Amino acid sequence: MTGVSRSSEKMVVPCLISFFVFFFLKLPPFSQTLEASHCSIKGNFFLYFSFWDYLWHISELPQDNYGRGGLSHITVAGSLLHGLKEVEVWLQTFAPGSRKPIHRHSCEEVFVVIKGSGTLYLASSSHKYPGKPQEHFIFSNSTFHIPVNDVHQVWNTNEHEDLQMLAIISRPPIKVFTYEAWFMPHTAAKLKFPYYWDEQCLKEPKKDEL
């Protein structure tokens, strides 16, 4: 005769309940892990997200301008911060007049504009240098895709309102090549890796892929 007897079932259920109560009592508050370090969330992230708590407050995540005036960056779900393998999600806010540097990266990127408006400058990587970029007006509820290694820049050209965007990148952690001008050769672009918000967690150099 196979299976578990009723008396065994009665013993297993209380044991399981006791285990989960003990487990969750031992878990530190999520906000405590955030305060400890930018790199310490990864250890407890999957403990929290493997069960029932799939929500957390964005306001509790690390936020900084990383030395760039007018920028507010939050890694909502990241490779180094949370252990994601294929994608990374950022929430970025640009004050009026602020902008990203002219740059490219070896991953795809999708932007969703949450509020505000601005200008996207986009150039191909198929020539020796980016050249004169195409200009695209971006606005609330618009979305756009940046192909791998295409040179681009986002600028908040709205003088009266912040530009806030959700950015999703592939192949994290990101490595970025910056340009001083649109006619600067690709070979002269400067590699920044790890990028500013990854510096505390990653110290491994990478090569250009062009």
Side-chain angles (χ1 to χ4, degrees):
M1 185 175 181
T2 59
V4 180
S5 66
R6 289 182 180 274
S7 59
S8 298
E9 289 179 349
K10 290 180 180 179
M11 294 176 62
V12 170
V13 172
C15 288
L16 287 173
I17 293 173
S18 299
F19 169 77
F20 283 112
V21 169
F22 174 80
F23 178 81
F24 282 107
L25 286 176
K26 286 296 182 181
L27 282 178
F30 189 65
S31 57
Q32 248 182 35
T33 63
L34 290 165
E35 292 172 0
S37 168
H38 285 264
C39 309
S40 64
I41 301 174
K42 183 176 178 181
N44 286 317
F45 181 80
F46 289 107
L47 294 180
Y48 277 91
F49 286 67
S50 294
F51 294 92
W52 302 293
D53 190 3
Y54 289 90
L55 301 174
W56 69 98
H57 294 289
I58 290 179
S59 61
E60 293 181 348
L61 295 172
Q63 175 179 343
D64 205 333
N65 66 4
Y66 298 93
R68 287 163 51 182
L71 169 69
S72 169
H73 173 93
I74 299 175
T75 299
V76 177
S79 169
L80 302 177
L81 195 63
H82 303 114
L84 273 67
K85 303 297 184 184
E86 303 296 336
V87 296
E88 190 159 289
V89 182
W90 306 334
L91 180 63
Q92 295 183 322
T93 305
F94 299 87
S98 63
R99 60 189 184 273
K100 291 190 173 191
I102 303 170
H103 69 287
R104 62 177 168 87
H105 35 66
S106 56
C107 63
E108 291 183 291
E109 184 172 23
V110 174
F111 287 105
V112 180
V113 181
I114 298 174
K115 69 175 183 178
S117 60
T119 305
L120 165 68
Y121 300 92
L122 182 64
S124 172
S125 60
S126 59
H127 305 291
K128 292 183 178 180
Y129 50 83
K132 182 177 175 60
Q134 297 179 342
E135 297 185 22
H136 303 275
F137 178 65
I138 58 176
F139 49 89
S140 180
N141 294 324
S142 64
T143 181
F144 50 96
H145 166 244
I146 307 296
V148 176
N149 278 321
D150 273 13
V151 184
H152 59 286
Q153 181 183 42
V154 173
W155 195 320
N156 183 358
T157 48
N158 186 332
E159 298 179 357
H160 308 289
E161 187 179 12
D162 287 348
L163 171 63
Q164 188 173 66
M165 305 185 304
L166 199 65
I168 303 95
I169 66 161
S170 64
R171 302 169 61 186
I174 193 170
K175 58 177 180 177
V176 177
F177 294 84
T178 59
Y179 297 72
E180 295 179 2
W182 289 100
F183 288 89
M184 182 178 184
H186 294 301
T187 54
K190 296 180 180 179
L191 170 63
K192 176 59 180 173
F193 185 85
Y195 209 55
Y196 297 103
W197 38 83
D198 292 331
E199 283 182 326
Q200 296 182 20
C201 309
L202 189 64
K203 300 296 181 183
E204 178 185 353
K206 290 214 172 183
K207 297 179 180 179
D208 192 350
E209 294 185 359
L210 276 184

